[in-house]
Amino acid sequence: MYMLYCMLIFILCNIVVNAQTDNRYNESEKIYLHTDRDVYIQKDTIWIKGYLQNTCYTNRKDISKYIYAELFGDTLIKRIKIRDNGKGFSGYIPLSSNIPSGTYTLRSYTRNMQNFPEKYMFLKPVTIVGKSIPGNNSSFTGKSLDNNPEDFDLQFLPESGRYLSGKPAKIAFKAIGTDGLSEEVNIKLYNTKDSLIGEYKTVHKGMGFISLYNVDTSGYKAVATTTYGYIKKFSLPKPSIQGAMITLNNSGEKIIVKTYISKEIDSCSLIIRNGSEVLYSVPVKDETINLFYTKSLAAGVISAEIHSVSGDILAERLFYVKDNSIPILTMNCNKSKYYTRDCVELTYSLKDSTGNPLIGEFSISVIDKSLNTNKFDKVSIVEYYNLVSELNGYVEDPEYYFNDLDKNRERNLDILMMTQGWRFHTYGTNSFTREYGQTISGFTSGLLNKKSKNSNLMLFAPAINLLQAYQLNKQNNFIIENLDFPEGTKFLFGTSGKHGGQLYGIHINKEMFPEIKEEYITSIMGKRDEDIQISLISKGVISPADMEIQIEGLVVEAQAKERYKPKYNPSPLMHTFTRHQIREREELADFDEMPLTSYICSTFPNLYKNNGVIASGRATNFDGPQQPQLYVDGLRWNSTKLLDDYGYLVMDIENVAFLKGLEGSAFNTTDGVILITTRRGEGGVNYKASNVVDFTPLGYQKETQFYSPKYDTPESLKTPYKDFRNTIFWAPFVKTDNDGLAKIIFYTNDRSRGFLISAQGLTIDGRPINFDGEIRVSGISNPASKQP
């Protein structure tokens, strides 16, 4: 009878508005990066395939032509720009031999995505393991955890943002430990008179909920106890006397929505929508009940909202509609057993849920099974596109919510919907447009930095055969669009007027990138990272022969220091140096995005920042710490502060040397001497006004193929070198044919006992594809290698 009543109200009250697009949400994109693995060793390469889509599926705008990928810890390690080569976005990030061990963040975005908060960008933790014995000497720093590891936080979240006095309500809660992960707790709920209302506990990943049948106006408080006995008190949000709220019941096939609206509010609507379109719009009043069938709704995260007549959102409740159309990718092997250096043929079949073949394009990674550390929750493209990218905050173990075998999955997924906020209420800034071509902009100036009039602009880039001249007339700003250039392309700009170029200057606008924020850093090199390192050593992934073994107590007689003469000598006195006194370009390359003053202070002993200048710990008098002398390109600068004022980064210099104490006596000082040779137009902009400027912007990365050896001849099977590849095979562009089939071929290495295989991609109509599998290797040498 109740269901009949619900259906009657639904029929009488619903005014259905299907596929009404809300253009406010149509401009953003979302991106997923598939990497060959999650754990790397120094000198490895991170192989990347990017998948980009419009967030709104009704948006017909072309997606951006370029994506950006960054690796950073507490500072930027590497930034690359990847161009769509017609098949997709494929790139790589090489790791240096001295990158500190720890957990880093891999971030990806487009220019368009910079209009939105950084949380909309793709973020993934990546572990990098060193070859040195674990210890406490790592230079990787990050955000430290709370001093009390037993402490936790408990958030109480009313079902649709608020709960009303005298009405029934559901309140979700989530407990989080000091490590940012879920905490299991037991809760006793009391009213303000200290009467026990009920006892509750977390049911999944620190989450649970409280049901109240008649909300007490005075409010509630709770006492929570962790599994290890730590007790903490909390106050729940105060109930509202007026407003609007939603209670929702999701049975999987039917959604029952009941609205509660106080009498002060008139003319409300219930809006059912996702990130792309309004699915239903229904006028509602207090205690109106609406019934929706999930088969009539789009799959994914859906929002039920109460809107006022002016369009304000008064209440919101998320729910999830299961996607029954996820493509199915299967794999068949050519053998049941493999030897070392053996040929592996894998055939993939892609079908829809009814068994029809599909055309899809995906990337495939095959890695050594020993690298499966399970340190972080792996997020497939299916989980990211359908769930994680739609929610705020970190979603623990997203794969669980797609496991139909767990009978509590739907209940726990619904609790997740109540504890994680929806992303689509954030509006973009429109500061950045979609990048279909590369752009360089700037302005020219006249005498004393006044606006130039009727100036000429000349542009020369020999690497891409570009030579152009422009007349700027009365405009001093310029934007050069639709360029297409790879990384390392140098541009030469010049400006002149009626009287030549001596009275004119040219300024190039610096590219804007998202800032690196401390809260992105997942962890520092700690116990878990050490466990991974020790595990990889024990499994032979890191060879003991490669380890830097530290032996204590060994006395070695000092030998004379070898002198070094740099190609570009930073000293006006043409010094020779010891290698510890100077850093050359190949050593600087790993820190290119770092502020130059920060690098100098971190790499040379006894230097630090003091009131904006570099100070020496060895040089102190009655006036306090003293600055070292500074020479740039042989000229004396009067303050190290100028390096920051001019915005110098490590990429702007060819080399830097530091002479401490008596080493700088030739300069008549013992306060130390900093010597710098700049890179003329390579890697940065000359920020001083000049009528000629060299500029090397960030170009797209040139394509590089992953190398996978072939053991297809008797000679190749008998080669003496050891094949210890960690990534066995990486194919960024695999496409199924009209029958839904695709085949790959690779060869096993000399060490692994098994391989993990990951395939991620999209069908031709944009549906995500995911496959995870494993094949075993006997570890026995290929019998063919023993044949004469």
Side-chain angles (χ1 to χ4, degrees), residues 71-78 104 516 521 591 593-595:
L71 181 71
F72 58 85
D74 48 6
T75 189
L76 184 66
I77 304 299
K78 184 70 174 179
Y104 293 78
I516 305 297
I521 301 168
F591 307 91
E593 302 292 340
M594 195 173 183

Side-chain angles (χ1 to χ4, degrees), residues 298-354:
V301 178
I302 308 292
S303 178
E305 304 165 3
I306 298 178
H307 285 223
S308 69
V309 67
S310 60
D312 294 329
I313 299 174
L314 306 180
E316 176 199 48
R317 168 67 152 91
L318 302 187
F319 61 96
Y320 189 85
V321 175
K322 182 181 177 182
D323 186 357
N324 294 312
S325 64
I326 295 176
I328 301 169
L329 185 64
T330 57
M331 180 187 77
N332 289 314
C333 306
N334 64 323
K335 297 180 183 178
S336 60
K337 181 179 180 181
Y338 292 97
Y339 300 103
T340 61
R341 303 195 180 191
D342 205 352
C343 180
V344 179
E345 294 184 13
L346 302 180
T347 301
Y348 287 89
S349 175
L350 181 63
K351 297 180 179 180
D352 63 18
S353 56
T354 61

Side-chain angles (χ1 to χ4, degrees), residues 152-159 171-177 180-181 183 185 187 202 205-210 222 224 232-237 392-394 415-416 418-421:
F152 67 98
D153 184 40
L154 182 60
Q155 295 178 314
F156 291 93
L157 305 155
E159 183 173 12
I171 302 172
F173 57 84
K174 184 173 179 66
I176 301 174
L181 301 177
E183 196 75 56
V185 299
I187 297 172
T202 51
K205 297 295 181 183
M207 298 181 295
F209 66 92
I210 296 168
K232 199 170 179 181
K233 296 180 179 180
F234 298 89
S235 294
L236 275 67
N392 277 320
Y394 176 63
I415 299 174
L416 177 70
M418 289 192 284
T419 58
Q420 308 277 161

Side-chain angles (χ1 to χ4, degrees), residues 307-542:
H307 285 223
S308 69
V309 67
S310 60
D312 294 329
I313 299 174
L314 306 180
E316 176 199 48
R317 168 67 152 91
L318 302 187
F319 61 96
Y320 189 85
V321 175
K322 182 181 177 182
D323 186 357
N324 294 312
S325 64
I326 295 176
I328 301 169
L329 185 64
T330 57
M331 180 187 77
N332 289 314
C333 306
N334 64 323
K335 297 180 183 178
S336 60
K337 181 179 180 181
Y338 292 97
Y339 300 103
T340 61
R341 303 195 180 191
D342 205 352
C343 180
V344 179
E345 294 184 13
L346 302 180
T347 301
Y348 287 89
S349 175
L350 181 63
K351 297 180 179 180
D352 63 18
S353 56
T354 61
N356 296 314
L358 292 173
I359 297 176
E361 188 268 318
F362 46 93
S363 47
I364 296 177
S365 168
V366 183
I367 69 169
D368 188 324
K369 185 180 178 181
S370 302
L371 291 162
N372 182 28
T373 62
N374 295 318
K375 179 183 174 184
F376 297 107
D377 297 326
K378 295 182 180 179
V379 182
S380 74
I381 191 171
V382 171
E383 296 146 14
Y384 185 78
Y385 269 25
N386 290 344
L387 181 66
V388 175
S389 66
E390 307 284 313
L391 302 176
N392 277 320
Y394 176 63
V395 179
E396 287 188 62
D397 190 17
E399 183 181 9
Y400 165 82
Y401 300 105
F402 295 83
N403 178 13
D404 291 333
L405 299 178
D406 191 304
K407 63 180 181 180
N408 295 318
R409 180 192 66 85
E410 290 186 357
R411 179 202 65 183
N412 296 335
L413 178 55
D414 198 50
I415 299 174
L416 177 70
M417 293 297 103
M418 289 192 284
T419 58
Q420 308 277 161
W422 202 35
R423 288 186 169 187
F424 290 99
H425 292 320
T426 303
Y427 296 88
T429 63
N430 292 323
S431 300
F432 299 87
T433 59
R434 298 196 177 201
E435 194 174 12
Y436 301 120
Q438 292 159 286
T439 300
I440 299 175
S441 63
F443 62 94
T444 60
S445 60
L447 186 64
L448 300 178
N449 283 329
K450 294 182 178 179
K451 284 189 176 183
S452 59
K453 297 181 179 179
N454 299 315
S455 61
N456 299 312
L457 178 70
M458 290 148 285
L459 171 61
F460 180 45
I464 57 174
N465 298 317
L466 178 64
L467 177 61
Q468 295 286 345
Y470 308 89
Q471 188 171 2
L472 300 182
N473 298 322
K474 294 183 180 181
Q475 298 179 358
N476 68 323
N477 295 318
F478 61 86
I479 301 176
I480 302 172
E481 299 177 313
N482 299 318
L483 295 170
D484 190 52
F485 54 88
E487 56 190 348
T489 303
K490 183 188 295 186
F491 291 82
L492 178 65
F493 289 84
T495 184
S496 62
K498 292 181 179 180
H499 305 290
Q502 297 181 0
L503 300 180
Y504 290 85
I506 186 167
H507 308 257
I508 305 298
N509 293 331
K510 195 171 182 178
E511 293 182 275
M512 301 297 294
F513 296 104
E515 61 180 313
I516 305 297
K517 293 187 177 180
E518 185 182 4
E519 57 262 32
Y520 287 153
I521 301 168
T522 307
S523 72
I524 62 173
M525 173 61 174
K527 183 66 171 67
R528 289 185 296 177
D529 293 320
E530 290 184 13
D531 290 343
I532 291 175
Q533 188 173 20
I534 293 169
S535 173
L536 296 184
I537 292 171
S538 67
K539 295 175 181 177
V541 177
I542 300 178

Side-chain angles (χ1 to χ4, degrees), residues 35-36 40 44-48 71 91-95 106 126 128:
T35 58
D36 58 322
Y40 296 86
D44 274 346
T45 298
I46 302 175
W47 295 95
I48 295 169
L71 181 71
Y92 64 96
I93 296 177
L95 301 177
L106 182 65
V126 172
I128 298 174

